[in-house]
Amino acid sequence: MATSSPSEKDQVTNAVASGVQAIQAASSSEDLKNVLSSLVGKKGELASIKATLGKVSDIEIRKQLGQLVNDALGQIQHAADARSRELLAGEFAQQIEAERVDLSELALSESVSRRRGRMHLVTQSTERLEDVFIGLGFQIAEGPEVETDFYNFEALNVPPSHPARSMWDTLFVESDVEGSVVLRTHTSPVQIRVMQEWPPPIYAVMPGRVFRKETPDATHMPVFHQIEGLVIDKGITFADLAGTIESFTKAFFGPGFTSRLRPSYFPFTEPSAEFDIRRPDGSWIELGGCGMVHPHVLRAGGLDPNEWSGFAFGFGIDRMAKERHGVADLRDMYSDDIRFTEQFS
Ligand code: FA5
């Protein structure tokens, strides 16, 4: 029986031995991939032995040699698989270590803690307003942003087709009865909800987001924030309203600021006023509307106007934040432009 020559056998054995050695020496999965392709690829030593098989005339020897080369390829692949598992496990452990976040270090590192985020200017102003009003004895209430026409208008003495509806450009929500659900145009509907739910006397402020169909400009946003105030007690007069606005002005803006009320019109208050505050330099800023709660509104809230009286006010938080931080354009506060936000961090 014919056998392959010892030199060809040795060649294959040596190729396997040096191949396995190269595989063991591979230092990364990437490296291993290259080593393996040079060993078993078309230009590898085993491939060149395989290529010579065609020239071996003895079929038996050709078969033996072919088997030998195939076994050698199998051994190399086996060694490569084992090395690959080792390398991957090491690389995975390395990756976990590299991505580990040491939270204790993060809290201690000054440079990292200086990069902390900050609350939005409007959130900061809202929290400060809440603090000031809590200091004046008020409680905080909140209401839904999606409101019924009843709470947003009707209960506030604005029946359908009332001309005052045009004071607010309303965004409607699709509903079974067309026009009966709106995105609240102001925080005033929360007055009604509070009156219905809280037994008087009531001293409450109600901050929140409101929506109007408006084109954004330096002083107008389609989505902005208001804070509503409601006081219901026995014997409340317009003087209490003026006094509260003045106390708030001094507490929020500082002792150098004063307030004034100008006659105005809102369907839910009678009499109604706009209130402005005077800066120490003598200039005025318009803040919002206010007035004595209209008897129809007290009734919608379930209160007897002969027993209870009160005042309400509502002003724009975004414009106050703009004023407090010297921001020229309301739109900048919502731009998420890093050059803007960095100024306040
Ligand atoms: C009202 O919304 C009344 N609900 C206020 C009120 C409450 C009056 C209780 C009486 C009693 P007005 O539409 O004027 O009123 O809005 C109040 C304030 O919200 C304005 O003075 C202004 O500061 C702010 N504001 C109004 N529209 C915008 C807007 N598009 N963008 C930013 N702020 C606005």
Side-chain angles (χ1 to χ4, degrees), residues 88-288:
L88 283 175
E91 282 161 4
F92 186 58
Q94 256 174 24
Q95 189 188 348
I96 299 255
E97 183 56 28
E99 289 176 4
R100 189 165 68 98
V101 178
D102 185 343
L103 293 174
S104 60
E105 251 175 54
L106 199 73
L108 289 173
S109 156
E110 214 195 316
S111 63
V112 171
S113 66
R114 261 204 250 110
R115 287 204 310 270
R116 260 186 329 174
R118 269 205 150 203
M119 279 190 295
H120 193 276
L121 294 185
V122 169
T123 312
Q124 288 180 36
S125 288
T126 307
E127 295 203 343
R128 240 192 113 231
L129 284 162
E130 288 177 359
D131 285 349
V132 167
F133 278 110
I134 287 170
L136 293 172
F138 284 70
Q139 285 179 285
I140 313 285
E142 278 183 1
E145 292 177 348
V146 177
E147 261 300 4
T148 58
D149 178 90
F150 175 78
Y151 282 102
N152 197 77
F153 290 123
E154 264 198 82
L156 290 165
N157 200 28
V158 193
S161 79
H162 190 292
R165 288 208 172 199
S166 61
M167 289 169 78
W168 298 279
D169 281 315
T170 310
L171 291 158
F172 293 90
V173 175
E174 240 181 284
S175 61
D176 292 343
V177 181
E178 201 183 318
S180 64
V181 183
V182 302
L183 291 181
R184 66 178 178 192
T185 56
H186 49 179
T187 41
S188 298
V190 195
Q191 284 184 35
I192 307 292
R193 292 184 176 276
V194 167
M195 279 189 260
Q196 287 177 341
E197 281 171 35
W198 294 5
I202 296 166
Y203 290 80
V205 283
M206 302 142 251
R209 197 155 58 143
V210 302
F211 309 83
R212 292 185 194 176
K213 211 166 106 198
E214 295 211 36
T215 308
D217 66 24
T219 53
H220 293 84
M221 292 299 288
V223 180
F224 60 101
H225 302 78
Q226 289 186 338
I227 188 162
E228 193 81 9
L230 178 68
V231 167
I232 303 286
D233 209 334
K234 291 194 169 156
I236 295 288
T237 69
F238 202 88
D240 297 310
L241 165 59
T244 304
I245 299 272
E246 182 63 13
S247 306
F248 157 75
T249 302
K250 295 221 171 338
F252 188 79
F253 290 98
F257 289 75
T258 57
S259 62
R260 77 172 173 198
L261 300 177
R262 279 180 293 119
S264 185
Y265 171 74
F266 293 100
F268 29 90
T269 44
E270 180 58 36
S272 301
E274 300 265 357
F275 69 91
D276 309 324
I277 60 162
R278 185 177 177 275
R279 298 189 187 93
D281 69 2
S283 59
W284 293 91
I285 326 157
E286 191 186 306
L287 266 199

Side-chain angles (χ1 to χ4, degrees), residues 9-25 35 39 45-46 49 71-73 75-76 79:
K9 259 189 185 169
D10 287 350
Q11 231 183 321
V12 174
T13 311
N14 289 341
V16 171
S18 65
V20 169
Q21 218 169 36
I23 284 168
Q24 293 298 347
V35 170
L39 291 172
E45 199 178 349
L46 289 168
I49 298 174
D71 287 350
L73 287 170
Q75 282 172 48
I76 283 178

